Amino acid sequence: MSRTVSKVAYRPVGILLGMAAGVAAGAVFRQVWKVASGDGDAPDATDEHRGWGEILAAAALQGAIFAVVRAAVDRGGAMGVRRFTGRWPD
């Protein structure tokens, strides 16, 4: 199959996987935060009752989890497209 076909095949897959990655990353973050902090709710940046350290730690953890989940999902999607089309999506 051509390079164009693999690109076209990956676009809808990438969009759907991206949305799924966001949902999955949010769920993973909530569980990790609950275990790490003992608190069920992660702090919001504008929460006046939380300190800078807690807010920045939560933001860093959330960003790291999102990046790892997104990379894993993107990589898996690209591998799936390669299996389907025979080419790696560019």
Side-chain angles (χ1 to χ4, degrees):
M1 293 191 155
S2 73
R3 182 169 294 197
T4 304
V5 171
S6 67
K7 277 184 169 182
V8 170
Y10 184 69
R11 280 191 185 140
V13 170
I15 290 169
L16 291 173
L17 289 177
M19 292 188 315
V23 171
V28 170
F29 170 68
R30 283 188 295 278
Q31 291 301 314
V32 170
W33 183 259
K34 192 182 299 184
V35 169
S37 71
D39 187 6
D41 295 325
D44 186 48
T46 58
D47 187 344
E48 69 177 320
H49 303 293
R50 308 280 183 113
W52 277 93
E54 186 177 11
I55 288 172
L56 296 180
L61 180 63
Q62 185 176 27
I65 289 171
F66 180 80
V68 168
V69 169
R70 179 67 192 253
V73 167
D74 283 347
R75 182 69 177 194
M79 291 174 70
V81 167
R82 181 176 62 186
R83 279 190 219 117
F84 179 70
T85 65
R87 290 192 173 263
W88 191 261
D90 292 331

